[in-house]
Every structure is written in structure tokens, then in C-alpha cells.
Amino acid sequence: MSGAATTPALAIADAVRRRERRAVEVVEEHLAAIAEVDGGLGCFLEVTADQARRRAAEVDAAVDAGRDPGPLAGVPVAVKDNLCTQGVPTTCASRILQGWHPPYDATVVTRLAGAGAVVVGKTNLDEFAMGSSTESSAFGPTRNPHDPERVPGGSSGGSAAAVAAGLAPLALGSDTGGSIRQPAALCGVVGMKPTYGTVSRYGLVAFASSLDQVGPFARSVADAAALYDAIAGHDPCDSTSLHQVPPACGPAVGSGVGGLRVGLVTELTEAEGVQADVRRRVAEAAEALASAGATVDPVSIPELRVALPAYYLLAPAEASSNLARYDGVRYGLRVDGDDVADMNARTREAGFGAEVKRRILLGTYALSAGYYDAYYGQAQRVRTLIIQAFRRAYEDFDVLLSATTPSTAFRLGEKVDDPLAMYLSDVCTIPTNLAGHPAMSVPFGTDGAGLPVGVQVLAPALGEAVMVAAAAVLEQAAPPTSLPTVAAPTLTGAGTGRGAATGGAR
Ligand code: GLN
């Protein structure tokens, strides 16, 4: 291999567009890396090798004919398996969707093709994106490339681990309560949740429709920004898609933080359960922004303490309604029964795993007559308070800074029997989803055991550009990050810790 597994996405696209590299070679190298290490990691549920080869040949043919294939020309991209891909199984890591082949592509998948990217496969996730460790997948867990005995985070664990291990320079995930940022932090890569409505949800299998957003994973902030720019924009097929043109993020990389007002959020950094190592890294990140010219001050937003309970009423309520469509008639699995109701019950009993059933029960309860106002209604009111609290904070600050997750990667099995402990993994990421705002996680050094730590930059709605500018400064200032122990050969062999793993050396 010639090092494709460590090359930034933008460098691949540049070389392919100039005809210095061929997309078919790039894709072969990544397919070889997947074949070599994914057996031990479990990032992919489906590798679309033939399609990827065909697509790469088309990209090369366009270059040969003097046409520009687009800003992501020839870049391999891994796609979370809750995004519809025409004719390619889309399972949401659930038995209930086994055998289902979507008749259409998600808008983001169409946009990837329009930008010249090459989809190499569908990645593992917690069933229906419900979880924080990728252990609730019906098809087995994904392992963390930094330590295969540990989880990659979730629910987009397959996408995060694939990017960390050098199996794809870019990946798509979805973030309802932290499912891009939390696994990005645990795997030592960049993950971004865009403003609600900037990226189309058409073809994203719905979990909690008022919270779900699609977003990028990459090994550098510049690559994540490029992927965001390729997928963002109005889509008439998504009724919640914004008509405003979202701000381009690519140009913001390198614009610096001079004069920027940064608020260090007490509740998302000092909260009980946040590891001392993680707190220390957040403090160092704050110092790095200050030395780069920002003004950093602590800010307390007490309302954020009730974000987690509000989310765990609202998200299951929406999920219980969205998942009603899996009835044994329209999709995938069917288990026959005595009559339609019996068939429906048997199908759902066999098709859904324990966590999905738990969410459906919680959500149905929260929405039931007599409890609706006390639970669902109250949680909606809390959501409004959180939006107002953020609005006040953004009167004084341009961006906010916090931990992405309370802890670094935990051991496989450590939290599977304790849903509450699992839910607490998202305490720092959930408030953003309730507000509909953007936020991203950037690798910032390691804990005492050498595991990656992520710090989170939060911004007001449509504040992606300023968020990316701050994230790029943090990336440049970040302490060394360890290399994954399980990775594409070129990645494990490459240079010193920093740069190869985080893409910091652009
Ligand atoms: N871990 C959170 C949950 O289980 C968030 C999931 C997500 O963002 N998809 O609901």
C-alpha cells in the first residue's frame, strides 16, 4: 500500500482531480484495508466492493474526459446503516429490517455521489441508533481500534471506528443525542452534528424526528468541513429542511479565533461523573483558545442539568411512534401468527432487541392518556427552557466549550446491564440536540491510559463556520494522540502519534 489509509480526504480528492492518483487505486487500497482488519473490529455490516469499484471507475472516466467529478473526487466514504441506499440492505442493525432493500437513496447519499465520493459500505450501529456503545447491534458489537476490548461509543460506532482505523477517510453518522460526537471522542476522530435542518433527513430511518441530524466523521477538521459542505443544503423532500443556504465551513478552517468570546460551560465539564483526565484536557483546550487570541470565561447554564431526563422522555416518545411502522407487512421480517394482530406482535417480539423494546415502552407510557401532560408535555416545556438558556448564553459568547463525554472509552459489557449508566454517557451532548444547534467533537490528547479524549465546541444555530474555526485552532494545539492499535497497515506504521491518527498535520 502507498499510504492511502492515512491520506486526508481533501488530498485524495485533489490528487484524483489532477489525475495524479486514480480513484480505482484509492478504493482498492481501502477495500484491502477493510478485508485485512475489519474482521477484528466489526465496523461494517456490508461492504459494497463491486459498486465502489464501478463508481471509482466512473470518477476516473470523468477526469479522463476533462470533467470535474467534484470536491470529494474518489474519496471512500463509509455510511451508517440507518441511511437508505438503493438496492443495498439497510438494516439499522435490527433483525426487523433484515432482507429489506430500500427502493431509493437518502438525499445525503445522492449528494455524496454528486460530489464524486465513493461509498465503500454500510457501518454498524446500536439498533435503530439507540445506544452509546454499538453493543445493541443485532449483528454484534464494533470494537474500538485503540483497544479492541473497549467500545467505540455509539450509536455511530462503526463509522467512528472505520475512520479511526483508516478504513475510510470519511464517514456519515446520525446524531439524535450525541451519536456522532460521543463515538468521535471515544475513537479519537472529528465528529460534527450540524444545525437541525441544514442536512436533509430524507432517507435517514427515523428515530426521534425532531432531534435526528446527519453529519460527518473525519480525521481532520478540514475534511469534516468538506464533507459537511458537500451534504448540506435545502431538500424539498424533507419538510424540516431549512430554506436558508447553510454557511460554508471549508473557508472557516484557518480563520482563527482572534477576538472570539468563548464560554466554558460549567455544567458540561464539572458535572459529577466527568473524569479528572477529561476535565484537565478541557481546561487545556480553553487555554489553547485563549493563547490563540480568544477571551475565555466560565459560564453556568443550570437548565442543562435537566436536559438528560427531558431527552429520555421526548426521544423514546417520538421513537415509539416512528417504530410503529414495523408491522411485519411493509418491511423486512415477518413472523406468521393466527391473525394480523398476532402476526404483528410476533414480528415485533422477534424483530426488536431489548433496548428498542425498552424505548418503545418508555415512549408509549410518556404519551399515554393521563400521563401525557405530566411527562411528554413537561419535557417539551423543559426543552423550551433549555433553548432560552442557550439563547441567553449566546448573548455573551460566540461559542461554548465543554467535554464531549464524561469518560473515555469504557470496556465492552461494562454498561450493558445498566441502562442509566449508559444514558449518562450522553449528558454533555444531549442539550445541543434539544436546542437544534450545531456542535462538534475534536480529539484533544489522551487520558492517563492513553485513550483518546474529545473536547466539544458548541455554537448557536447556523454557527457552523465559527464553530469550525475554533475546532481547527484546537486541532492545531492538541497534545499528541495515540495511534489505534488495530488499523490499516499504513496507519499503524505511520510516523509519530499526532497527525497520523488525527490528521492534524495537514
Ligand atoms: N445515546 C443516545 C440514545 O441512546 C443518543 C443516540 C443517538 O444520538 N442516536 O438515545
Side-chain angles (χ1 to χ4, degrees):
M1 279 199 231
S2 64
T6 59
T7 313
L10 284 170
I12 293 176
D14 194 44
V16 168
R17 287 165 109 178
R18 291 167 191 266
R19 221 172 170 279
E20 286 160 12
R21 293 215 61 197
R22 310 267 52 197
V24 288
E25 273 166 41
V26 174
V27 86
E28 275 322 321
E29 284 171 355
H30 286 86
L31 291 173
I34 293 169
E36 193 159 337
V37 302
D38 201 43
L41 287 176
C43 301
F44 287 89
L45 292 176
E46 180 90 23
V47 179
T48 50
D50 293 344
Q51 258 180 286
R53 289 185 176 112
R54 274 200 303 277
R55 177 75 198 122
E58 284 168 15
V59 169
D60 287 334
V63 174
D64 292 345
R67 293 193 306 273
D68 182 3
L72 300 178
V75 179
V77 182
V79 172
K80 187 175 181 179
D81 203 27
N82 61 352
L83 286 161
C84 289
T85 39
Q86 187 175 0
V88 174
T90 297
T91 65
C92 291
S94 180
R95 297 206 182 284
I96 210 149
L97 276 174
Q98 232 172 348
W100 183 59
H101 293 71
Y104 66 101
D105 276 331
T107 295
V108 286
V109 172
T110 309
R111 291 206 177 176
L112 283 181
V118 177
V119 172
V120 288
K122 306 293 297 287
T123 56
N124 200 9
L125 64 152
D126 282 297
E127 187 175 3
F128 281 101
M130 298 172 187
S132 311
S133 68
T134 314
E135 291 167 294
S136 80
S137 165
F139 310 118
T142 298
R143 292 168 180 272
N144 191 317
H146 289 269
D147 177 351
E149 294 311 312
R150 292 177 187 270
V151 302
S155 64
S156 317
S159 287
V163 170
L167 308 185
L170 298 176
L172 289 180
S174 65
D175 191 312
T176 304
S179 277
I180 293 174
R181 291 160 288 158
Q182 188 257 12
L186 270 46
C187 290
V189 297
V190 175
M192 171 177 171
K193 181 210 113 57
T195 303
Y196 185 82
T198 56
V199 178
S200 171
R201 290 186 298 111
Y202 180 71
L204 166 69
V205 179
F207 163 11
S209 309
S210 78
L211 301 160
D212 300 338
Q213 265 298 281
V214 179
F217 285 98
R219 290 194 292 271
S220 73
V221 173
D223 280 358
L227 180 51
Y228 168 75
D229 287 344
I231 58 173
H234 179 65
D235 178 10
C237 295
D238 171 359
S239 63
T240 59
S241 170
L242 291 176
H243 286 267
Q244 265 156 300
V245 180
C249 281
V253 178
S255 62
V257 291
L260 211 68
R261 300 164 305 166
V262 179
L264 180 57
V265 189
T266 319
E267 286 74 13
L268 305 183
T269 303
E270 302 295 321
E272 207 185 317
V274 180
Q275 272 177 15
D277 283 350
V278 173
R279 282 185 210 189
R280 203 157 37 240
R281 291 305 187 191
V282 178
E284 287 170 18
E287 282 164 27
L289 290 173
S291 349
T295 330
V296 187
D297 288 300
V299 57
S300 170
I301 314 177
E303 290 84 348
L304 302 189
R305 290 203 192 103
V306 285
L308 192 93
Y311 172 89
Y312 276 99
L313 287 165
L314 296 173
E318 294 189 28
S320 69
S321 162
N322 274 325
L323 270 60
R325 61 171 66 99
Y326 304 106
D327 53 8
V329 177
R330 287 174 282 189
Y331 306 89
L333 184 76
R334 172 182 300 173
V335 180
D336 285 328
D338 299 336
D339 52 26
V340 172
D342 189 40
M343 177 277 289
N344 184 249
R346 284 174 193 255
T347 300
R348 289 167 70 84
E349 163 60 28
F352 290 136
E355 184 59 29
V356 173
K357 286 176 181 157
R358 183 178 296 123
R359 303 285 177 113
I360 292 172
L361 287 169
L362 284 171
T364 308
Y365 188 76
L367 290 173
S368 57
Y371 294 104
Y372 181 92
D373 196 54
Y375 292 117
Y376 184 75
Q378 186 73 352
Q380 288 287 32
R381 287 187 279 276
V382 168
R383 185 173 189 177
T384 302
L385 289 177
I386 287 166
I387 293 167
Q388 289 169 344
F390 269 126
R391 190 177 302 144
R392 281 194 297 276
Y394 286 123
E395 283 168 9
D396 298 327
F397 299 101
D398 300 301
V399 294
L400 301 174
L401 180 72
S402 78
T404 306
T405 61
S407 77
T408 51
F410 45 93
R411 290 188 184 281
L412 282 157
E414 193 178 318
K415 299 188 182 181
V416 275
D417 298 323
D418 186 352
L420 206 55
M422 194 68 93
Y423 297 172
L424 282 166
S425 306
D426 305 304
V427 68
C428 306
T429 48
I430 277 173
T432 302
N433 299 77
L434 291 173
H437 293 166
M440 69 194 289
S441 183
V442 190
F444 204 85
T446 58
D447 69 3
L451 294 166
V453 172
V455 295
Q456 182 176 222
V457 182
L458 304 89
L462 297 174
E464 273 82 357
V466 66
M467 173 178 85
V468 161
V473 167
L474 290 172
E475 176 179 60
Q476 289 303 321
T481 305
S482 56
L483 278 168
T485 53
V486 184
T490 45
L491 195 61
T492 42
T496 58
R498 183 184 155 66
T502 63
R506 277 196 301 277

